[in-house]
């Protein structure tokens, strides 16, 4: 009888823990992520992001960086061009 009572109590405790984790864990994660986001972001950065969002109308494209175009070299630097005919 003692073994059955122990197994029943163990199952009930595990079920209760699972229920509590399912209800409380998302709330804890949500609050933890919001705190991390607030501490990681500098107030000046938040203001800049808000200003950028206000300035650009919806659907517009904003390009922050344009890579430099490679310069085309002279023909001397590219090498010699040799004309050839294919012989069959």
């Amino acid at each position: 009888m003692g073994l059955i009572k122990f197994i029943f109590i163990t199952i009930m405790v595990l079920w209760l823990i699972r229920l509590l984790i399912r209800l409380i864990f998302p709330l804890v994660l949500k609050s933890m992520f919001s705190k991390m986001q607030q501490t990681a972001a500098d107030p000046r950065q938040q203001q800049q992001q808000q200003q950028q969002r206000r300035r650009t109308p919806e659907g517009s494209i904003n390009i922050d960086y344009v890579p430099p175009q490679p310069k085309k070299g002279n023909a001397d630097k590219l090498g010699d061009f040799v004309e050839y005919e294919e012989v069959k």
Side-chain angles (χ1 to χ4, degrees), residues 42-71:
D42 188 24
R44 286 178 271 142
Q45 287 178 336
Q46 288 178 349
Q47 288 176 352
Q48 288 175 354
Q49 287 175 354
Q50 288 175 355
Q51 288 175 354
Q52 285 179 348
R53 288 183 191 140
R54 290 182 195 145
R55 277 190 239 148
T56 57
E58 186 175 335
S60 67
I61 298 173
N62 186 15
I63 299 173
D64 294 332
Y65 174 74
V66 178
Q69 296 293 327
K71 295 183 180 180

Side-chain angles (χ1 to χ4, degrees), residues 7-17:
I7 292 173
F8 179 73
I9 291 173
T10 305
I11 290 173
M12 292 303 290
V13 167
L14 291 175
W15 180 78
L16 184 64
I17 290 172

